[in-house]
Amino acid sequence: MLELEHTRELLIEMGLVSAAALLDARLEAAAKGELTYLSFLSGLLDAERQERRRRSEEVRIKLSRLPHRKTLEEFDFTFQPSIDARQVKELSTLAFAARKENVILLGPPGVGKTHLAVGLSMQALRAGLTVYYATLPQLIADLKKAEQTGKLERRMKAYLRTNILVVDEVGYMQLDRQAAELLFRIVCTRYETGSIILTSNKFFTNWGELMSDAVIATAMLDRLLHHAHVINIRGETYRLKDRAKAGFVTVPPAAIHPAVL
Ligand code: ADP
Ligand code: MG
C-alpha cells in the first residue's frame, strides 16, 4: 500500500490532518458503498472542514474566558416574562454584532443577565466570531496592573480586537477616577468598531455615582447607548426558584436587595 502511505503523507504535508486520519476508513466505506470519486472526495474534505471548525470553536471558547458554556436554548423564557423572547431571538442572529451594536442587560441579581450574555456569546462563537469576557472588577484590576507595569497599550488591545466584548457585573463595584477613565477608553475605542455586551444591576441614572464622575458617566452612556439593544429584566431571581424547589424558605428578592435598582 505504498500509494496509500504516499497519499496520507501528502495530506499531512498540506495540513489536512483530519482527512489523513480518516483516509483508511473513508476508502473502505467508499469501496463498500460504491461511492463516486467525487462524493468520496467531497466527503473527506467535508470531514476535514468540520473538524477544523470544531477545533477553532474550541480554541475561541477557551480564549473567550467565558465563566461557563450555557446556551440560549437552556434559558427558560417562561420563567422571565419581562424578557421579550423575540428580541433575544433577533439578537441571536448576530446582526447586532455585524452592525457593531451593543447589548445592555439590566436587572437585579439572579434574573439571568450573565446567562443571556454567555448564551449570545456562545452563539457568536459557534458562528465563527471572537468573544472576550470579563467582569468589570476583573477588567479594571487587569488594566490597572498593566498600567503600573507599562503594558497598558498591549492589554487594551486584548479588549479591543474581539468581535464582542462582554463586560459583566457593572454596578457592584464603585469605580475610582482612574478605573472610570480606563472603562471610558474601552467604550470609546470600541464605539462603532466592535460590540459590547454589558450587564448591570444599576439603572443608568445611578452611573454618575457609580463612576465617581457624572461627566465621564454621561459621555460613556452616550456612546454605549447610541446603537444599543437594552433588555430590562424585572423578575424574580432564578436562584431562589431552585431553593424553593429544594424546600428552603424563600425571601422575596426585594427584601434581600433593597438597594438594587
Ligand atoms: P445574573 O447574572 O442576572 O445575576 P445569572 O445569569 O447568573 O443571573 O443566573 C443565575 C443562575 O440561574 C444561573 O445558573 C442561570 O443559568 C440560571 N438562570 C437564570 N435565569 C434563568 C432562566 N430564565 N432559565 C434558566 N436558567 C436561568
Ligand atoms: Mg451575573
Side-chain angles (χ1 to χ4, degrees), residues 12 14 24 34 55 69 93 101 108-109 112 115 135 150 169 174 191 227 239 244-245 247 256:
I12 290 171
M14 289 184 295
D24 273 356
E34 295 178 7
R55 274 199 311 250
R69 298 183 178 196
T93 67
E101 295 164 352
H115 188 141
T135 64
E169 295 179 9
Q174 171 87 27
Y191 176 61
H227 314 285
R239 294 187 182 112
K245 260 196 311 202
I256 311 172

Side-chain angles (χ1 to χ4, degrees), residues 108-179:
V111 292
K113 301 182 298 298
T114 300
H115 188 141
L116 288 175
V118 171
L120 286 172
S121 299
M122 288 299 288
Q123 197 76 20
L125 290 160
R126 215 179 285 166
L129 302 185
T130 52
V131 176
Y132 194 80
Y133 170 100
T135 64
L136 184 60
Q138 280 170 351
L139 183 146
I140 295 299
D142 184 35
L143 289 180
K144 277 190 173 177
K145 197 171 138 217
E147 195 163 38
Q148 277 163 12
T149 49
K151 291 182 183 144
L152 183 61
E153 299 313 312
R154 221 173 71 203
R155 277 310 292 158
M156 281 299 256
K157 284 202 183 108
Y159 294 98
L160 302 176
R161 66 171 162 240
T162 55
N163 298 112
I164 295 175
L165 172 68
V166 183
V167 184
D168 201 7
E169 295 179 9
V170 175
Y172 294 112
M173 183 180 108
Q174 171 87 27
L175 301 192
D176 58 27
R177 212 194 146 76
Q178 186 198 5

Side-chain angles (χ1 to χ4, degrees), residues 199-235:
T199 83
S200 181
N201 64 328
K202 291 272 193 326
F203 270 143
F204 301 129
T205 42
N206 298 323
W207 278 36
E209 203 180 320
L210 193 68
M211 308 285 161
S212 310
D213 188 320
V215 179
I216 288 190
T218 308
M220 191 183 313
L221 284 171
D222 194 43
R223 284 161 181 81
L224 210 51
L225 298 177
H226 185 197
H227 314 285
H229 306 262
V230 180
I231 299 180
N232 200 348
I233 314 175
R234 294 172 302 274

Side-chain angles (χ1 to χ4, degrees), residues 79-83 106-108 111 203 231-236 261:
F79 183 80
Q80 216 56 266
S82 69
I83 302 176
L106 297 176
V111 292
F203 270 143
I231 299 180
N232 200 348
I233 314 175
R234 294 172 302 274
E236 277 198 48
L261 295 182

Side-chain angles (χ1 to χ4, degrees), residues 172-199:
Y172 294 112
M173 183 180 108
Q174 171 87 27
L175 301 192
D176 58 27
R177 212 194 146 76
Q178 186 198 5
E181 278 169 9
L182 287 168
L183 181 63
F184 182 60
R185 263 191 72 183
I186 292 211
V187 170
C188 283
T189 326
R190 287 193 72 92
Y191 176 61
E192 295 185 338
T193 65
S195 295
I196 295 177
I197 300 180
L198 183 145
T199 83

